[in-house]
């Protein structure tokens, strides 16, 4: 796969982002790996001013609507840190998935033994309330469309609950 051609136009503005596991491997189906993603996002919120407007973690990808200072750098840190933590966890457990992360690694990734994420995050700047609502509806209905739940509120790893005034797993900026 070639280099990502998408760019962050106005990094402080909210962007719709997609981070996909290498070859769509179901790495985040394990709650411990999903927790690694959530912990990393909490750190970026606290330490780097990442503003999350919406999110969902599925078994093989996650979507974010996020903005803030140094957004591109924050997403790069997120992917690097979470990859390292998941590889360490897989090593501890002698996971057979570890060999897939070597096998499918892009040839130009010579600085690492394993690759967890596909390249890029395909940022799309949110251009107003209509687009924000459309992207939120899309991510929140992702597990419904896949047949995992009947109601978006039932998907644990999502900001759908935040938008209904309920407690979610991450703090989310719902007033935009």
């Amino acid at each position: 796969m070639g280099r990502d051609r998408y760019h962050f136009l106005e990094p402080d503005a909210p962007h719709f982002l997609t981070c996909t596991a290498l070859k769509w491997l179901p790495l985040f189906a394990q709650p411990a790996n999903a927790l690694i993603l959530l912990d990393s996002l909490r750190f970026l919120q606290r330490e780097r001013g990442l503003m999350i407007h919406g999110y969902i973690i599925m078994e093989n990808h996650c979507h974010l609507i996020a903005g803030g200072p140094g957004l591109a750098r924050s997403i790069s840190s997120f992917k690097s840190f979470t990859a390292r933590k998941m590889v360490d966890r897989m090593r501890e457990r002698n996971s057979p998935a570890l060999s897939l992360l070597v096998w499918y690694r892009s040839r130009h990734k010579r600085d690492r033994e394993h690759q967890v994420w596909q390249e890029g995050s395909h940022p799309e700047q949110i251009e107003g309330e209509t687009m924000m609502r459309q992207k939120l509806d899309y991510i929140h209905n992702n597990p419904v469309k896949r047949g995992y739940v009947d109601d978006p509120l039932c998907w644990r790893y999502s900001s759908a609950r935040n938008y209904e005034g309920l407690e979610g797993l991450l703090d989310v900026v719902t007033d935009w």
Side-chain angles (χ1 to χ4, degrees):
M1 177 176 281
R3 297 297 226 189
D4 194 359
R5 291 184 195 84
Y6 296 85
H7 301 284
F8 292 88
L9 301 176
E10 295 177 39
D12 287 347
H15 284 71
F16 174 74
L17 308 155
T18 302
C19 300
T20 307
L22 186 67
K23 296 292 183 184
W24 293 85
L25 294 170
L27 301 176
F28 319 125
Q30 295 181 14
N33 284 342
L35 183 59
I36 289 170
L37 301 186
L38 291 167
D39 286 344
S40 179
L41 291 170
R42 283 187 200 104
F43 173 85
L44 291 169
Q45 286 177 308
R46 188 177 58 251
E47 301 297 325
R48 298 227 183 126
L50 182 70
M51 292 180 57
I52 298 176
H53 299 279
Y55 73 94
I56 193 156
I57 299 172
M58 299 296 288
E59 75 278 8
N60 53 20
H61 69 286
C62 67
H63 293 295
L64 298 171
I65 299 175
L71 181 58
R73 192 173 124 238
S74 289
I75 297 304
S76 177
S77 294
F78 167 75
K79 290 174 81 172
S80 177
F81 175 80
T82 56
R84 195 168 41 254
K85 292 292 275 186
M86 283 187 281
V87 166
D88 289 347
R89 183 174 177 279
M90 286 183 224
R91 278 190 179 127
E92 290 170 5
R93 300 170 57 88
N94 284 330
S95 171
L98 204 53
S99 62
L100 294 174
L101 301 181
V102 174
W103 178 259
Y104 289 127
R105 182 189 72 211
S106 296
R107 291 180 188 185
H108 69 274
K109 300 278 188 186
R110 295 192 175 129
D111 62 335
R112 65 197 73 166
E113 184 180 357
H114 305 91
Q115 182 179 348
V116 170
W117 297 101
Q118 290 184 21
E119 284 190 22
S121 59
H122 307 289
E124 292 179 60
Q125 186 171 321
I126 301 295
E127 303 280 341
E129 188 173 335
T130 301
M131 185 177 183
M132 177 70 89
R133 176 53 49 204
Q134 184 264 332
K135 294 300 185 184
L136 284 168
D137 288 346
Y138 173 78
I139 66 174
H140 292 158
N141 283 300
N142 207 316
V144 175
K145 186 176 180 183
R146 302 277 293 267
Y148 297 154
V149 295
D150 292 328
D151 184 337
L153 296 177
C154 294
W155 192 255
R156 179 175 175 77
Y157 303 105
S158 163
S159 57
R161 294 178 54 80
N162 301 77
Y163 278 89
E164 290 298 318
L166 303 169
E167 186 175 350
L169 297 176
L170 285 177
D171 291 333
V172 173
V173 178
T174 58
D175 56 336
W176 29 263

